Amino acid sequence: MVLNILNLLGALALFLFGLYQLSSGLQKYIGDGLRKFIPLMKGNAASRILGGAGLTASIITSRESTATVISLVSAGILSLSQSVAIIMGANIGTTITAWLITLFGFTFNIFPYCFIILGAGFAMSMSKRAKVKLLGDIIMYFAIIFLGINFTVSSVSALEATQLFPEKLMCLVDKGNLSVIIFVLIGILLSAMLQSSSAVVVLSLIMCHSWLDISMGCAMVIGANIGTTITTTLLSSKSNVRARQAAVVHFLFNISIAVIILIFYRPFIGLISLITTSPLYGICIFHTLFNLLGTLILVWFSDIIVNMLNIMFPSGEKADDGLLKYIGNYPIGTAAISIAQAMKEVQHFGIISHEGFKYVPKALNETDPDKFEKYRMKLVEYEEISDKLEIKIANFLNGIKSTEISLEDGEEIRLLFRIIGELESLGDSCENISRILERERVHNMKFDDNAISRMNELINKVDKAYDVMNSNLREAMNGNLSDISNAYEAENDINKTRDKFRNLAIEQIEMREGNYYSTNYFFDIIAELEAMGDFMINISQAAVRNEE
């Protein structure tokens, strides 16, 4: 019996391995194509439901699709009210897994062809073409899923032959309504442990195929739908308020429909029995109706749910406190969506950097020592914020699962690393300018009016370049960036202005006009301002390459 149990666990592990790898492979193969669901998710309620269902059907597991929706809400790409219908649609989409397993694993048993499919997939995976290689991996994982299912069924049958194991479980079945609650709890526990409601639904199919009553199998399905919310809730716990709100939407939807179905459980099971006598199709129909009815009932209460969550989780985040605004400490969605989320945070980083730069002219033109010190410390503070944002965004990008990253995704991540590095350098330049201004005042080497006027003119050029850079980041986020001639013009304008003022200052020194030491400080400041122009053109170049 021990050997049979170990065989069962091994067969389940094979099935889960195939399921997880298939989901990762599909995400990798589709890549940023998953972002095409976003416009659909921003439409009316029906469109959002279809978008959520389509997203789940594309990547197999509702856990990944729900986590992706939570990521999009966290990034502000989707609103909380939009996410309600999308999460409902994602739950509907997850029912496709049970139907596929029933059709290809039991009704049209493809097990005799699994090794042929596996061989074909392996041959394709040896290709040098990335897309063909990925498709080969997907085909192999598809075959592995059904190999795992077949071995699981065989292992359950072997256990059934021992009589002891089924008898111990059967004692849980004949306790009336208590048995329903027990199997709901079993479903919750298994779903939380396996981090997949689809795996528990498939397990209930296998058990009902062998010996379990359909009513207990359906109870496990209810538990699986509740248990899958635990993972997303835990994942969102360290993210921002919007992410936590979206996770609670997922929990409330699944727990509410579970309570409704359990109240009318016996009549509902009776209805399933009238539709079909097959326990396998009965599980599939129950799972589908569970999510369809939940959507039809609760979609009308979307506004109430949103208002309630806004009261439960009031947003008190500040945009300028150095904390992440659109991402959490680690990604919780698919690779492609996590990258889009990181791009949103990078866009926010650019805005914060520009806000910090505005203290440069204030410090330059301030004559009151106390006020100057206040502005100088602000520049130091924003440099520290830049450091924090760079590190946190880098950690987020490093946290994206390598198994889900396509070649295109990898290139986007590399460019995002370059952008955040350049943004951090902008913060360093602002702090360097504050130090130069501090030394100029400590040594009493005051700038003359001409020098201050020229530096203000160059600062205005850099300020305009910031506007261009942030505009390009915004356009890149929306997928509309194809031309960065505006960035080249802004950088060229900074370079010409710097050269002109530097030449004028050199002429002053040659004519022995002005203070030599203050002129050196002047050179240092305009050099930092020119370097900032270089950092900003690098950012626009990376952003436009990200769109190619």
Side-chain angles (χ1 to χ4, degrees), residues 245-259:
Q245 287 175 328
V248 173
V249 168
H250 186 213
F251 173 78
L252 288 176
F253 173 77
N254 285 17
I255 197 74
S256 298
I257 191 59
V259 170

Side-chain angles (χ1 to χ4, degrees), residues 351-372:
I351 293 169
I352 294 297
S353 179
H354 194 185
E355 288 176 359
F357 176 74
K358 292 184 183 298
Y359 286 99
V360 169
K362 290 181 179 179
L364 173 65
N365 296 298
E366 185 55 61
T367 56
D368 182 274
D370 292 335
K371 288 184 179 179
F372 167 78

Side-chain angles (χ1 to χ4, degrees), residues 45-271:
S47 175
R48 294 171 202 161
I49 291 170
L50 287 173
L55 179 63
T56 304
S58 298
I59 57 177
I60 298 298
T61 66
S62 63
R63 183 181 73 87
E64 289 289 348
S65 60
T66 303
T68 295
V69 174
I70 291 171
S71 296
L72 292 171
V73 174
S74 173
I77 298 171
L78 295 175
S79 68
L80 181 63
S81 59
Q82 288 171 332
S83 74
V84 176
I86 298 167
I87 289 172
M88 293 176 182
N91 276 22
I92 294 171
T94 195
T95 62
I96 192 173
T97 305
W99 284 105
L100 288 174
I101 297 299
T102 300
L103 287 171
F104 294 107
F106 296 101
T107 304
F108 307 108
N109 187 4
I110 67 168
F111 175 71
Y113 310 101
C114 278
F115 288 103
I116 298 173
I117 297 170
L118 193 65
F122 178 76
M124 292 175 68
S125 70
M126 301 300 289
S127 172
K128 293 182 179 179
R129 294 174 60 186
K131 283 290 184 182
V132 175
K133 183 181 178 68
L134 281 173
L135 187 59
D137 290 341
I138 290 169
I139 291 172
M140 281 198 297
Y141 298 138
F142 179 80
I144 288 171
I145 285 174
F146 290 97
L147 284 172
I149 288 172
N150 187 271
F151 292 142
T152 302
V153 171
S154 299
S155 300
V156 170
S157 298
L159 278 172
E160 190 176 8
T162 65
Q163 296 297 319
L164 183 61
F165 187 72
E167 283 179 7
K168 288 191 174 183
L169 284 178
M170 287 301 291
C171 70
L172 300 175
V173 175
D174 58 359
K175 299 182 183 299
N177 291 334
L178 179 59
S179 294
V180 175
I181 301 301
I182 289 172
F183 276 88
V184 168
L185 293 174
I186 291 173
I188 293 172
L189 181 63
L190 289 174
S191 184
M193 287 173 57
L194 301 175
Q195 296 187 9
S196 172
S197 62
S198 297
V200 179
V201 172
V202 171
L203 185 59
S204 70
L205 286 171
I206 293 169
M207 293 172 71
C208 287
H209 175 70
S210 300
W211 56 269
L212 190 65
D213 180 74
I214 186 174
S215 62
M216 299 302 111
C218 290
M220 282 183 66
V221 171
I222 295 174
N225 276 268
I226 297 172
T228 193
T229 65
I230 295 173
T231 304
T232 50
T233 302
L234 290 175
L235 286 172
S236 67
S237 62
K238 293 184 179 180
S239 193
N240 59 25
V241 171
R242 291 185 299 273
R244 294 196 292 274
Q245 287 175 328
V248 173
V249 168
H250 186 213
F251 173 78
L252 288 176
F253 173 77
N254 285 17
I255 197 74
S256 298
I257 191 59
V259 170
I260 293 171
I261 294 296
L262 285 172
I263 291 172
F264 303 99
Y265 190 67
R266 294 301 176 184
F268 201 79
I269 294 298
L271 175 64

Side-chain angles (χ1 to χ4, degrees), residues 25-37:
L26 286 169
Q27 291 175 47
K28 211 170 183 179
Y29 185 79
I30 298 170
D32 61 2
L34 290 173
R35 299 180 199 175
K36 294 177 181 177
F37 285 102

Side-chain angles (χ1 to χ4, degrees), residues 19 108 259 298 513:
L19 185 66
F108 307 108
V259 170
L298 297 178
E513 294 177 1

